[in-house]
Amino acid sequence: MLQFVPFLCILITRTISRIMQRERIVNLRDEAQVGRKVLVQGWVRTFRNDQFIALNDGSCLSSLQLVIDREATDDAVKKRITTGAAIAAKGVIEASQGRGQVTELKVTDLEILGDADPELFPIQMKRHTMEFLREKAHLRFRTSTFGAVFRVRHALNFAVHKFFTDEGFFQIHTPIITGSDAEGAGEMFQVTTLDLNNVPKAEDGSIDFAEDFFGKTANLTVSGQLEAELGAMALGQVYTFGPTFRAENSNTSRHLAEFWMIEPEVAFADLASNMKLAEDCLKSILRYVLASCDEDLEFLENREIQAEKQLPQDQRHDAPLRARLQAVVDTPFQHVTYTEAIDLLQCSKPYKKKKFKYPVEWGVDLQSEHERWLVEKHFNGPVIITDYPASIKAFYMRQNDDGKTVAAMDVLVPGIGEIIGGSQREERLDRLQAKCAEFNIPEDHVWWYLDTRRFGSAVHSGFGMGFERLVMYVTGMTNIRDVIPFPRTPQNAEF
RNA sequence: UCCUCCAUAGCUCAGUUGGUUAGAGCAUCUGACUGUUAAUCAGAGGGUCCCUGGUUCAAGUCCAGGUGGGGGAGCCA
């Protein structure tokens, strides 16, 4: 009978460990926690002096310092406490004797949950390049930078929903697979279940899409806007927030083949209120993350400062990250028409010194270099450019009375360029039909869109905001592939 | 798609006018030390110099093509 006693003890300990709930490190960092007996689980960042483990569980940027008993801990166990290993530790929260943290965990029980072979685990406790970590996208979450980026990304996601909900908007889930091919926002990915090695042919030799899953060609959406307009013309104010897909062969630090977009659409709203909505939206979102992500933003701010040390002075930001974001919150956005912007550019120093590579004249779209001069040099803050020439904008934008321009707006921010593009929509059926003809869009492709202009049409407006560009702007990351967990770009769909 | 730069140890990078056995820091391993903060100190191991071809007595180094990546541009969000 006596031989069962130790077994019983082990059984009881194990049961306690199961009952004991895991504490998140984010909640264990203040003095009030001292004395609490807790269980933590996470991944080892460093193991110093055979005694101090920096444990990160992702709940916040900072790690919890675990202090183990060097003498009492088995050498075999200590050997397995390596960077990247998953461990569970029980103990008591104490005031830290060392600097650098308020509290630490005096460990009484330690368990290795998952080993990380130090010869093979690629993430070291040192500076890695973003390019290297991009190839290790499955493990880069374990770094401070990407932990911070993705926590901020989440906060931004939530702030978007909070803003629109507070403003009385309803989210509309627009389709990801679309039968509409008239959105004109870019090249589309085709969706098909046809056997590409043996496609059914029609009598004239062309592919017979009547045999395909939807009985016609289908694509991944490039924008939820047209469908969102339909929602707005009944629910009043709606927004979409979902993935969008562009099959453009763009290889830049600002483009993805799969990205997330926010598209509000408001009935009875003209361009002026659309601009106000865009400004309020951006400011509200920034206010939210500034208030809720300070630790992560501080880290990202310092990361940016370190990264910019390698750049020449004129390519560095003149204010730190959080100050820049705060400035956007505090400053009214500048408004300028396209026509005024052209005038400003033609009077600018780089124009007179012929430093611009592309021509500046009315009717030609603004190039990156022009937008950059306006935003970064002339206005030095967010700018809304309105009333573009009709010829360079989409078919659905409302014609202005001058007959030359449309009620469009682009919100430009320093460092990123266009972050929001929107317009007042053409609500007059005859004008819209004329535009369809002009853009070679067959009316029977967009009959459902035109119907909203046939039945109870009304003035309405909306815009699109690239979510990843917002995340870039807020985190100071300079490559869009580093603000989405698994970027999709031409020739790259790993993971 | 275009322009441009780059590719050497697990990572970040040196490598001279082409010349003997290709180096450093960090990481890893071994040992020492032990209240550390990306700990410190000593030692060790670690290389298909991206691939293919060419020039040459000799190529990490020069040339051509390819592949991969960065930055910029276009398109756009």
Side-chain angles (χ1 to χ4, degrees), chain A residues 140 146 149-150 153 256 467-469 471-472 475 477 479-485:
Chain A
R140 66 179 180 171
F146 286 96
V149 165
F150 292 122
R153 184 180 166 114
L256 292 166
F467 185 57
E468 281 75 18
R469 294 216 176 148
V471 182
M472 284 174 83
T475 58
M477 301 299 283
N479 193 312
I480 201 164
R481 294 161 202 194
D482 299 329
V483 297
I484 188 167

Side-chain angles (χ1 to χ4, degrees), chain A residues 11-21 39 90:
Chain A
L11 199 73
I12 289 165
T13 326
R14 287 210 176 147
T15 312
I16 288 168
S17 131
R18 278 205 196 109
I19 291 166
M20 206 166 169
Q21 220 185 357
L39 164 71
K90 271 185 289 176

Side-chain angles (χ1 to χ4, degrees), chain A residues 155-195:
Chain A
L156 286 166
N157 176 80
F158 180 76
V160 167
H161 288 299
K162 179 168 161 45
F163 171 79
F164 285 114
T165 302
D166 289 351
E167 294 289 317
F169 282 68
F170 303 106
Q171 186 185 7
I172 300 292
H173 290 120
T174 52
I176 288 166
I177 299 173
T178 170
S180 151
D181 56 2
E183 285 152 8
E187 289 295 312
M188 301 178 108
F189 287 101
Q190 193 170 344
V191 176
T192 181
T193 54
L194 293 179
D195 179 358

Side-chain angles (χ1 to χ4, degrees), chain A residues 270-279 333-345 362-366 371 374-375 379 382-390 392-393 397-400 402 404-412 418 420-424 461-463:
Chain A
D270 61 8
L271 190 68
S273 57
N274 199 30
M275 287 193 284
K276 184 173 185 306
L277 180 69
E279 181 170 346
F333 288 12
Q334 304 281 334
H335 293 191
V336 63
T337 66
Y338 168 87
T339 305
E340 289 163 351
I342 292 290
D343 285 346
L344 287 170
L345 284 161
W362 203 95
V364 178
D365 207 358
L366 299 176
E371 294 183 349
L374 285 166
V375 169
F379 291 105
V383 185
I384 308 183
I385 303 180
T386 62
D387 302 297
Y388 284 82
I392 58 172
K393 287 290 180 183
M397 296 189 179
R398 191 182 193 277
Q399 275 188 300
N400 286 329
D402 62 12
K404 299 189 298 185
T405 60
V406 289
M409 62 153 195
D410 282 359
V411 180
L412 310 181
E418 186 183 340
I420 289 174
S423 69
Q424 187 173 327
S461 302
F463 62 80

Side-chain angles (χ1 to χ4, degrees), chain A residues 73-74 83 101 115 144-145 147 177 283 322 358 401-402 425 454:
Chain A
T73 310
D74 197 350
T83 299
Q101 60 277 318
D115 291 277
S144 296
T145 297
I177 299 173
K283 285 183 172 177
R322 286 174 297 176
Y358 290 88
D401 293 338
D402 62 12
R425 317 306 189 190
R454 289 192 180 98

Side-chain angles (χ1 to χ4, degrees), chain A residues 203-221:
Chain A
E203 278 178 19
D204 63 358
S206 64
I207 297 168
D208 185 8
F209 285 103
E211 300 268 318
D212 204 350
F213 188 89
F214 296 106
K216 58 185 247 182
T217 56
N219 298 290
L220 294 179
T221 183

